[in-house]
Amino acid sequence: MKKIIVQKYGGTSVENIKKMKNIVNRVIKLYDEGHSIVLVISAMGKTTDHLVEMAKAITENPDKRELDMLISTGEQVSVSLISIIFKSLGYDSISLTGYQAGIVTSSDYNKGKIADIDISKIKKYLQEKKIVIVAGFQGITENGDITTLGRGGSDTTAVALAAKLQSICEIYTDVDGIYAIDPKKYKNAQLLSEISYEEMMELSNLGAKVMEMRSVEMGKIFNVPIHIGNSVTGIIGTIIKDEDQLMEKKIITGLATEHNVAMVTISDVLYQSGDIYKIFNLLSEGEINIDMISQTAPIDGKINVSLSTPSLDVDSLKSVLKDYHTHKLYVDENMTKISVVGIGMIDQSGVASKLFNIFDNLGIHFKQVTTSEISISFIVNNEDSYSLIEEIAKAFNLSNN
Ligand code: ADP
Ligand code: ASP
Ligand code: MG
C-alpha cells in the first residue's frame, strides 16, 4: 500500500553534503516505490550552537524574538540544500520554512508550542508528487513572528506533522535506535526494540536527550508510533508505542544520566514557611533551575534545605542568595544524577532495595534520592557514576552481556 511517510533527520545526520546525498538517495528509492514523502530536517551539525554563541558573545541575554529570528536560519540552510540535491537529480521537491508549512505556534519565543498546522499546502504539494522538505524546530505566531520550539525541537515538528497527516513517523539519528543507556556513555548498552511513550518521556526528562520530550508526549496524545533508526543505514531499531502494545514489560527499561549537577545545602533555615518561601522566591527571580529538593527534620526551630541545580547555575545561585546572610551555603559541584526508569516499577516492589544493595556492595553513597511512579533518581559523585552504571546495567539486564 502506498503511504505518506514523515522522516526526520537530525543535525549530525545532515552535517555535510555527502551525508545529505546519502539520505536523498534512500528517499528516492521510497519515492520511486510510490510513497509520498515529507522530510523534516534539522540545522547542519552544530550550526544552532554556533548561532546561539554568536548572540551570546554580544550579550548574555539576547532578545528572545531576535534570537529566534537568528537560530531559525540554520534549518533554512539545510532544507534548501537538500532540495537542491533532489532537483539536481531530476526529482521534484520543495523546501518550506515552518511558516510556509503552516506551523502556527504560541508566542513563547525560544520555546514555542505548536498550536495548529494548516497542512493544506503540504497536501497540495504531495498531490503534485513533490517531495516536501520542512524546516524543523520552527513556526510562526498568529502575528507573523518567527518562533523556535526549544532545543531538539525538530523531533516535535516531525511528530506533529505525522499526527496531522496521519502518516508513518520515522526519526533518523546517529545511533541505531533507543538504547537502555546512552551508547556513547556505555558501549555495551542494549538496543531496545520497543519502549512505551511514558518510559521514553521519563528518560528524556531525566537526561536522555535522544528524543525531545514534548515530541514523545505528542506521539502519545495523538497515538503516533515513533520509529527511531540510523540515518546512515536506514535501519529502524526501536518503536516508541503505547504501553498496552508492549510485548514485554520490564521492571527497569533504561537508565539516564545528567552530568555537571551541583548539590546545594542551605543550613540553619528557620522552620517557618515564610523563610523557605523567601529563599525559593529569590531563586525563582534569579531564574535558577532547581531539580530535587529535600529538607531535614526541624531541630531547635531550624532545618537544612538541600537542592540540586545545574553546575552552570551555581554562580548565579550564590549571587542571588548573597544578601541572605543568616544561612550557610554548602556547594558540592561535579555531581551526576543517575536515574533508572521502568513501567514495571508501578506494580513490582524491590527495585529500591536492589539498588541500595548495589550502592552498599560498591561502598558508594548517594547525596540525594527521589522517586516517581516509574523512576528512581540518585545524585552521586561524578567519579562514582561509571562503576554504578556498570553494576546497575548488569543487575537489571541493560547490557548486551
Ligand atoms: P539528532 O541530531 O539526530 O536529533 P541527538 O544528538 O539529539 O540527535 O540525539 C542522538 C544522541 O542521543 C545519540 O548520539 C546518543 O548519544 C544520545 N542518547 C542519549 N541517550 C540515549 C539513549 N538512551 N539511546 C540512544 N541514544 C541516546
Ligand atoms: N537545530 C535545533 C537544535 O539544535 C533543533 C533540532 O536539531 O532538533 O536544537
Ligand atoms: Mg535531537
Side-chain angles (χ1 to χ4, degrees):
M1 206 178 74
K2 306 302 173 213
K3 296 170 185 151
I4 304 182
I5 307 173
V6 172
Q7 293 192 335
K8 176 253 169 178
Y9 291 91
T12 359
S13 306
V14 295
E15 67 189 351
N16 56 43
I17 301 293
K18 191 168 167 232
K19 286 194 174 181
M20 287 182 177
K21 283 186 174 164
N22 176 45
I23 290 167
V24 164
N25 283 324
R26 265 217 331 277
V27 171
I28 283 176
K29 285 201 191 110
L30 273 180
Y31 176 85
D32 286 343
E33 286 166 15
H35 301 298
S36 299
I37 312 287
V38 177
L39 301 181
V40 174
I41 310 290
S42 292
M44 295 169 75
K46 300 250 173 270
T47 302
T48 313
D49 288 339
H50 296 150
L51 292 167
V52 171
E53 272 164 27
M54 270 200 269
K56 293 217 163 170
I58 303 169
T59 162
E60 202 24 59
N61 285 312
D63 180 86
K64 289 191 161 71
R65 178 191 180 279
E66 302 311 327
L67 188 64
D68 274 353
M69 274 297 267
L70 176 71
I71 61 178
S72 60
T73 60
E75 272 69 14
Q76 212 169 313
V77 171
S78 47
V79 287
S80 49
L81 286 171
I82 290 200
S83 191
I84 288 170
I85 300 175
F86 276 113
K87 291 195 166 176
S88 73
L89 297 171
Y91 282 82
D92 196 10
S93 60
I94 182 157
S95 62
L96 302 173
T97 62
Y99 163 59
Q100 290 170 321
I103 299 173
V104 180
T105 74
S106 64
S107 49
D108 306 300
Y109 297 113
N110 313 164
K111 48 176 196 253
K113 291 195 181 60
I114 297 181
D116 199 7
I117 308 182
D118 174 1
I119 48 165
S120 54
K121 255 193 183 169
I122 293 185
K123 282 209 142 160
K124 175 177 152 290
Y125 292 133
L126 290 178
Q127 268 153 18
E128 292 168 4
K129 300 276 175 244
K130 286 182 165 53
I131 295 160
V132 177
I133 310 158
V134 179
F137 175 58
Q138 56 174 262
I140 194 136
T141 66
E142 284 188 339
N143 289 333
D145 289 313
I146 291 177
T147 49
T148 61
L149 309 180
R151 297 306 304 269
S154 299
D155 294 337
T156 309
T157 309
V159 178
L161 278 171
K164 210 57 197 193
L165 291 161
Q166 298 190 310
S167 72
I168 293 172
C169 181
E170 298 176 343
I171 307 281
Y172 289 99
T173 182
D174 60 351
V175 291
D176 287 350
I178 309 297
Y179 287 78
I181 304 170
D182 183 344
K184 291 194 181 141
K185 292 185 183 150
Y186 180 67
K187 67 174 179 346
N188 285 326
Q190 200 177 77
L191 179 64
L192 306 170
S193 58
E194 54 172 17
I195 183 169
S196 65
Y197 295 114
E198 288 80 2
E199 287 166 317
M200 191 67 243
M201 278 158 65
E202 192 87 348
L203 282 170
S204 306
N205 191 31
L206 293 167
K209 295 282 175 256
V210 55
M211 285 294 294
E212 203 262 345
M213 197 186 82
R214 277 196 294 150
S215 68
V216 186
E217 191 179 12
M218 195 170 283
K220 179 179 158 60
I221 293 170
F222 294 100
N223 208 4
V224 179
I226 307 173
H227 301 72
I228 320 288
N230 185 308
S231 64
V232 177
T233 60
I235 294 169
I236 298 282
T238 307
I239 305 180
I240 308 176
K241 53 169 123 159
D242 211 78
E243 184 201 330
D244 297 342
Q245 284 164 15
L246 294 182
M247 305 278 282
E248 182 196 6
K249 272 187 210 167
K250 296 179 180 165
I251 304 179
I252 299 293
T253 305
L255 176 154
T257 53
E258 237 171 85
H259 297 286
N260 302 320
V261 172
M263 270 289 301
V264 178
T265 298
I266 307 159
S267 71
D268 301 327
V269 177
L270 295 178
Y271 186 49
Q272 304 169 351
S273 46
D275 209 34
I276 297 171
Y277 165 70
K278 256 186 235 162
I279 291 173
F280 281 92
N281 191 40
L282 285 170
L283 295 174
S284 147
E285 281 172 4
E287 294 190 12
I288 313 294
N289 280 303
I290 293 166
D291 184 14
M292 299 175 170
I293 302 174
S294 64
Q295 73 169 56
T296 54
I299 296 176
D300 296 334
K302 288 185 178 168
I303 54 169
N304 293 346
V305 175
S306 294
L307 53 90
S308 67
T309 182
S311 293
L312 269 178
D313 283 5
V314 166
D315 285 345
S316 320
L317 178 141
K318 284 181 181 162
S319 94
V320 161
L321 293 182
K322 80 174 178 311
D323 297 329
Y324 217 65
H325 283 305
T326 45
H327 314 120
K328 282 194 202 109
L329 208 60
Y330 300 88
V331 180
D332 267 329
E333 290 195 53
N334 304 320
M335 311 294 288
T336 295
K337 177 164 135 183
I338 294 188
S339 309
V340 292
V341 172
I343 209 132
M345 261 191 249
I346 296 178
D347 44 29
Q348 299 209 34
S349 57
V351 178
S353 82
K354 206 165 161 180
L355 286 165
F356 292 145
N357 189 238
I358 294 174
F359 277 90
D360 184 34
N361 289 340
L362 293 171
I364 290 175
H365 301 282
F366 52 85
K367 302 267 172 155
Q368 177 92 278
V369 56
T370 55
T371 61
S372 81
E373 212 181 11
I374 63 165
S375 70
I376 305 182
S377 303
F378 301 91
I379 302 257
V380 297
N381 288 326
N382 276 348
E383 61 269 23
D384 290 334
S385 63
Y386 305 98
S387 49
L388 265 173
I389 292 174
E390 189 94 38
E391 291 308 309
I392 294 174
K394 272 193 217 149
F396 291 96
N397 297 325
L398 306 181
S399 67
N400 284 322
N401 39 37

